[in-house]
Every structure is written in C-alpha cells, then in structure tokens.
Amino acid sequence: MLTATTDAVTAHPVGEVDNRATYISFGLAYVLGHGAAAISKGGSPLLALPGWLPMTLLGTGLAVGTVYATRAQRGASKSDALSGKLLGASWVSAFTALFLAITGLAYTLDMPGLQSMLWPTGSGLIVGLIYLSEGAVRRNLLHYGLGTWLALISTAALFLGTPGLFWVLAIAGGGGYAVATVLERRRLTARPKHAQSPSGMKRKEM
C-alpha cells in the first residue's frame, strides 16, 4: 500500500522569525529619536528641546524592539536558538567595541564633540552589520537588505555633519524600517506556500 505523508515540522524553520514588531519599534526610535535631534541641534535649531529627550526617545524604542526580538526567538529549534543567543551576544560585544572606539578617538584627538556625530552614525553601522550577519545565518534576504541599507546610510550621513546626519537617519533609516515592515508581512505569508510544495512530501511503501 502506498501512502503519502508530510514531513513533520516541529521546529521553527530558519529565517521564519517574525520581525515586524521589532521593525516598528526600531523605526519609531529612528524617526522620533533622530528626528528630535534633527530639529533641536545645529547652529540654528528649529525647536528648543531638552538635550536628554532625543537620546531617551531613541533608547526607549531600541529597548522595546530588543525585547520583541528576544520574544520572537521563542519556539525555535535548538540549533536556531543557539544561533539566536550568539547573535544576541554579538550586540553586546559590538556596542562595547563601539564605545571604546568612540571614547578613545574623542580622548586621543581631544575632540569631545566628535561623540555627538559618531554615536548615532556608528550605532547605525553596528545595527546594519549585525542585521547583515543575522540575515545571512537565517537566509533572510529582507533582513540582509535592511542591514545593507542601514550600514550605508549611517556612514554616508557623516558627510553632512550636524544636524544633517540626524535628518538622514530619521528619514532614510526610519523609512527603511517602514518598508521592511510591509515586506516582512509578504515574506511570512509566502513561506507556507513554499513549505507545502511537492519537495516537502514523502512517499513510502508499506
């Protein structure tokens, strides 16, 4: 007797993490945090805001997004869970290295004001590179593409100085997250169709 059976998928497939909540949180952090810095910094600011407000808005959005990213890893297989933990640890290592680099440069060159330019752009570069790594590990082209975009705009923004770099990060960075949120929904709805293809079926003889 011939019977058709479907491979049981009990583990979370690679690249199947839903990043929409994280994208929205990070996108709002870019728009509100960097946007607040853009209108309140520079030689002739558009609006007077407390100096702590832009960083607070940015940090809050990134913190919320990190929590959503951690929750999205639940249900993954053991191998994918390990990859997720290693990628999570890379955030700590990368930002610690960024802190040392920026602090060291500002101290050596005796230019404390340099930090106001390097922190927002350097953070965008780090986030972009981590997204590149995660996209490659999970075979997620959207995540990989977003990482490429963030890395490029963050470093290119340095040519504009203050407050121009904050406008780039708020508009291009926040816009990148908005586009990724829309495309993420399409990516997730397209995967079940692929999983149901004939390649996922087995026939065995009894």
Side-chain angles (χ1 to χ4, degrees):
M1 181 176 62
L2 295 176
T3 60
T5 61
T6 306
D7 288 333
V9 181
T10 57
H12 205 294
V14 175
E16 191 64 21
V17 175
D18 186 350
N19 294 301
R20 283 176 293 180
T22 303
Y23 288 164
I24 292 173
S25 298
F26 274 49
L28 288 174
Y30 267 59
V31 171
L32 298 178
H34 292 313
I39 64 176
S40 63
K41 295 185 181 295
S44 54
L46 299 177
L47 184 65
L49 295 175
W52 53 265
L53 184 59
M55 186 59 67
T56 300
L57 292 172
L58 179 65
T60 301
L62 295 180
V64 172
T66 301
V67 171
Y68 280 124
T70 302
R71 290 181 177 178
Q73 304 294 333
R74 296 176 181 176
S77 65
K78 290 184 177 179
S79 60
D80 287 345
L82 176 59
S83 297
K85 290 179 180 179
L86 292 175
L87 287 168
S90 69
W91 285 81
V92 178
S93 301
F95 274 94
T96 300
L98 181 65
F99 168 79
L100 295 174
I102 293 176
T103 305
L105 279 172
Y107 174 78
T108 303
L109 300 177
D110 193 21
M111 298 175 62
L114 193 63
Q115 298 193 45
S116 63
M117 292 181 60
L118 293 183
W119 265 116
T121 54
S123 298
L125 172 62
I126 292 298
V127 172
L129 294 179
I130 292 177
Y131 279 7
L132 280 170
S133 301
E134 187 174 358
V137 169
R138 299 189 182 282
R139 299 191 293 276
N140 185 333
L141 295 180
L142 174 58
H143 210 60
Y144 189 93
L146 178 60
T148 302
W149 175 250
L150 292 174
L152 291 176
I153 65 165
S154 297
T155 48
L158 283 168
F159 287 96
L160 300 178
T162 304
L165 66 88
F166 291 108
W167 285 113
V168 172
L169 294 173
I171 297 174
Y177 275 110
V179 173
T181 302
V182 175
L183 296 180
E184 177 74 348
R185 182 174 182 274
R186 296 182 181 180
R187 183 185 72 85
L188 292 171
T189 55
R191 287 191 65 86
K193 297 178 181 179
H194 175 73
Q196 294 171 4
S197 63
S199 60
M201 304 292 292
K202 286 184 178 178
R203 298 182 66 86
K204 66 180 181 179
E205 186 174 345
M206 297 183 59

